[in-house]
Amino acid sequence: MTANRKELAVERAAKKEAVEQLNGVFKTTSVAVVAQYSGLTVAQMQKLRMQMKQAGASVKVSKNRLAKIALEGTDVVAIGPMLKGPTVIATSNDPVAAPKVAIEFAKANEKFVIVGGSMGKTVLNVDGVKALASLPSLDELRAKIVGLLVAPATKIAQLANAPAGKLARVIQAHASKGEAA
């Protein structure tokens, strides 16, 4: 009887630790995508995890009851009702990374079904997740901004050099006329 109580105490401690870990993830994430993965193979799940990791996102599989407890007090608490059946939660700090990988993975694997998600306190349906996935990532946006900032400087340099070039061509033309006469 005491051995059984020790096992229960260890199990409770493990569950409490899992809830605390999930809560930490949910507090620091900006976007969460909920999907059902029933029927996926271990290799497919490993591929999903690898793709998420490469994009800067993570995948969590947890008991729904524990995940709902971990959601309390976080911005993504709205995904609680979506946790039914075998679900996986993809999270990322980049609001585009997790949705983009999830949508691409769902296209390749029909058994991976996106249920919805949350961006901050905003609840997303499947279309909302698809809309997020279609946006450029933070790195792409940063590159575009840098390109826009550099372009005016390049144009200013071209404009500053243009009058000097024109002046040199006029002087060269007058010099050529003088030699011909």
Side-chain angles (χ1 to χ4, degrees), residues 5-176:
R5 285 186 181 174
K6 286 182 183 178
E7 288 176 18
L8 288 175
V10 170
E11 190 176 310
R12 279 191 191 124
K15 286 179 181 179
K16 185 177 180 183
E17 183 179 328
V19 167
E20 288 173 0
Q21 183 183 16
L22 268 175
N23 185 267
V25 170
F26 292 145
K27 282 184 177 178
T28 59
T29 191
S30 65
V31 68
V33 178
V34 179
Q36 293 181 340
Y37 67 97
S38 182
L40 288 181
T41 64
V42 173
Q44 289 170 325
M45 283 299 290
Q46 287 175 336
K47 184 177 179 182
L48 174 65
R49 282 191 167 93
M50 183 185 68
Q51 289 174 350
M52 286 287 185
K53 188 175 182 181
Q54 288 174 346
S58 65
V59 175
K60 296 285 181 194
V61 176
S62 174
K63 291 188 176 203
N64 292 338
R65 187 172 45 81
L66 296 179
K68 286 178 184 178
I69 294 169
L71 283 169
E72 292 175 13
T74 66
D75 284 347
V76 293
V77 70
I79 66 171
M82 296 177 198
L83 301 175
K84 292 178 184 164
T87 55
V88 62
I89 303 170
T91 58
S92 67
N93 290 330
D94 180 350
V96 178
K100 190 170 278 199
V101 174
I103 292 292
E104 290 300 317
F105 192 79
K107 287 178 184 175
N109 301 285
E110 70 272 353
K111 293 183 179 177
F112 186 78
V113 180
I114 295 175
V115 178
S118 175
M119 186 171 124
K121 294 182 179 183
T122 306
V123 179
L124 302 172
N125 59 10
V126 178
D127 293 331
V129 174
K130 287 180 182 177
L132 266 182
S134 67
L135 295 174
S137 69
L138 283 178
D139 290 337
E140 292 170 346
L141 287 174
R142 287 180 184 133
K144 286 181 181 181
I145 290 172
V146 168
L148 290 173
L149 292 175
V150 171
T154 306
K155 287 180 182 176
I156 289 172
Q158 289 172 349
L159 290 175
N161 291 335
K166 286 181 182 176
L167 182 62
R169 284 191 290 277
V170 168
I171 292 173
Q172 182 65 36
H174 283 291
S176 297

